Amino acid sequence: MANEKFTKEMVDDYADKLLIGLTEEENQMVLEEFHIIDKNIDLINEIPNIKDVQPMTHALDNFECDFREDVVEESIPIEDLLKNCDETDGDEVEVPRMVG
């Protein structure tokens, strides 16, 4: 398929940037999903006057959100919090390195 929007190389590049290695099988699965999503977007774009539809901020018209009052409370001293940690460096918690 010439002139594809998504290619194997693109999927590999995205996976590398996200630090997730993909097998050939996983790459193909993601590529197929991209094609399905792209086809669905094309279908949505075929809806007459879709560009005239006002964007929604929430799925419900009568959406209301009651926020609680902000109340300032005394914090626990950092020294007491760090007593629960195995390894610390100054005021920071040391954790094992997970990426290269």
Side-chain angles (χ1 to χ4, degrees), residues 20-33:
I20 54 172
L22 295 179
T23 65
E24 289 295 318
E25 183 180 321
E26 290 168 331
N27 181 299
Q28 187 61 36
M29 182 182 68
V30 170
L31 197 54
E32 289 171 9
E33 288 293 324

Side-chain angles (χ1 to χ4, degrees), residues 66-72:
D66 295 324
F67 295 104
R68 65 171 172 77
E69 178 101 13
D70 279 338
V71 178
V72 177

Side-chain angles (χ1 to χ4, degrees), residues 39-57:
K39 284 181 185 177
N40 285 321
I41 290 172
D42 288 344
L43 283 174
I44 291 169
N45 286 330
E46 289 178 16
I47 297 172
N49 302 319
I50 190 73
K51 294 191 183 330
D52 299 332
V53 175
Q54 197 70 348
M56 298 174 66
T57 57

